[in-house]
Each structure stands twice: as structure tokens, then as C-alpha cells.
């Protein structure tokens, strides 16, 4: 098979990456600058149809060009609450700078099974958010997760709720 010459200009630059010893040079890539994380220690249950905070974690970017990558894993419980079949609820991921909230994502979780006729059954599962965003600030950025019940009860599980606890991890990615 013949070799083909790669022109650096066709790749958007003037210099191709090179191997210098054991390191690549002439590469521009994002850098992981910091990580903050939190694991819920207690469970938070709700039957309310209004959103309430279940997580709140702050990170302060070192540059206005930094991006934040949020990974949230919510171990949750849906309960039919004795009268409601097909329990469901919503989770919402937001970020806030100076008190002004911006919604990044919202998802509905639901249990569509009827386990018994008395409507007291529960279902546990996990929901994950993974989101990259640019807050364009060097002020503290607070990332929040909220939940609300649509039918029955919803609950984000903490370490006291079993093996699978809800957690959030925020990473600052530099240019």
C-alpha cells in the first residue's frame, strides 16, 4: 500500500502534530483544569408538582473561555403513593451565575408498569445528564439539579438509600 502525503493546510493549520520523544507537539487540545464533585448523603423525596433543588454544586472558572462539563447521575425512586398508578416526575439541570438560572436540560422519568392493584409499588432506576456548556465568566457558576413529581412520588436517592447514590461531577475544560 503506498503512502500518502498529508498537507497540513488541508487540516486547518500549517504544522502537523509531531512525536518528540514520548510527547506529541503542535497539538491544541482542551485541558482539564479542575474537578469538583458531590455525592448525596441523604435521599430527597417529593410529591410536589413544583421544582425543588436536590443538588447544588459550585465551580469557579479560571478563564471566560473555559467550558464546564457536568455529569450527573441520579439514582431515583418512583412510588405510586397509594393512589396513583404510573408514577412519573421530571429532573432539570440548570446553571446559575449571579442568581440568574439557565436551563441546560430537562427529562421526564416514569414507571409505566402496574405491579399490583393496590398502587403502592415502587421502581428504582438511574437517570444521567452529561452536558458541556460555556458560562463565559470567571465568577462562581452554580450547577443545580431539580426534581418535581408529576404523578405519585419521586425521590433522588442518597447513600442512605442503598448502594447507588446520586452524584454530580463538574469539570473545567480550558482551551
Amino acid at each position: 500500500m503506498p503512502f500518502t502525503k498529508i498537507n497540513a493546510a488541508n487540516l486547518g493549520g500549517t504544522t502537523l502534530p509531531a512525536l518528540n520523544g514520548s510527547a506529541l507537539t503542535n497539538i491544541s487540545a482542551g485541558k482539564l483544569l479542575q474537578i469538583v464533585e458531590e455525592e448525596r448523603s441523604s435521599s430527597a423525596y417529593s410529591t410536589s408538582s413544583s421544582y425543588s433543588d436536590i443538588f447544588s454544586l459550585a465551580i469557579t472558572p479560571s478563564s471566560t473561555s473555559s467550558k464546564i462539563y457536568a455529569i450527573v447521575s441520579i439514582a431515583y425512586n418512583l412510588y405510586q403513593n397509594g393512589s396513583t398508578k404510573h408514577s412519573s416526575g421530571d429532573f432539570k439541570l440548570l446553571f446559575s451565575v449571579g442568581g440568574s438560572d439557565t436551563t441546560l436540560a430537562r427529562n421526564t422519568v416514569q414507571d409505566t408498569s402496574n405491579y399490583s392493584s393496590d398502587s403502592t409499588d415502587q421502581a428504582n432506576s438511574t437517570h444521567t445528564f452529561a452536558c458541556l456548556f460555556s458560562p463565559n465568566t470567571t465568577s462562581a457558576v452554580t450547577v443545580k439539579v431539580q426534581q418535581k413529581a408529576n404523578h405519585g412520588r419521586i425521590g433522588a436517592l442518597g447513600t442512605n438509600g442503598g448502594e447507588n447514590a446520586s452524584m454530580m461531577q463538574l469539570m473545567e475544560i480550558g482551551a
Side-chain angles (χ1 to χ4, degrees):
M1 172 183 237
F3 288 102
T4 303
K5 182 178 178 183
I6 298 174
N7 185 342
N10 293 340
L11 298 174
T14 57
T15 309
L16 290 173
L19 185 59
N20 182 4
S22 63
L24 282 174
T25 60
N26 302 324
I27 283 186
S28 177
K31 299 165 188 69
L32 182 58
L33 301 178
Q34 64 173 311
I35 299 175
V36 294
E37 58 187 9
E38 176 185 325
E39 184 175 275
R40 277 202 61 87
S41 59
S42 62
S43 298
Y45 297 99
S46 177
T47 57
S48 174
S49 61
S50 298
Y51 281 106
S52 60
D53 292 351
I54 57 173
F55 271 115
S56 182
L57 187 59
I59 188 168
T60 303
S62 58
S63 169
T64 57
S65 63
S66 291
K67 296 183 183 303
I68 304 298
Y69 185 56
I71 299 174
V72 181
S73 177
I74 307 163
Y76 68 90
N77 170 272
L78 292 173
Y79 174 57
Q80 294 180 10
N81 214 27
S83 62
T84 304
K85 293 186 179 184
H86 308 298
S87 51
S88 67
D90 287 355
F91 291 113
K92 185 164 51 169
L93 180 66
L94 313 98
F95 80 92
S96 175
V97 177
S100 177
D101 289 344
T102 301
T103 299
L104 295 167
R106 184 189 72 79
N107 291 90
T108 299
V109 294
Q110 61 186 357
D111 175 28
T112 58
S113 300
N114 284 331
Y115 298 105
S116 66
S117 60
D118 67 1
S119 300
T120 59
D121 294 311
Q122 299 184 48
N124 290 345
S125 193
T126 304
H127 180 72
T128 302
F129 286 114
C131 188
L132 180 69
F133 64 98
S134 303
N136 194 29
T137 187
T138 55
S139 297
V141 176
T142 302
V143 178
K144 298 188 290 188
V145 177
Q146 297 178 333
Q147 71 180 7
K148 75 172 186 169
N150 296 330
H151 302 287
R153 181 188 76 185
I154 189 169
L157 302 177
T159 52
N160 68 353
E163 295 176 11
N164 300 320
S166 302
M167 58 79 60
M168 180 189 305
Q169 196 173 63
L170 304 177
M171 294 171 250
E172 180 187 3
I173 310 295

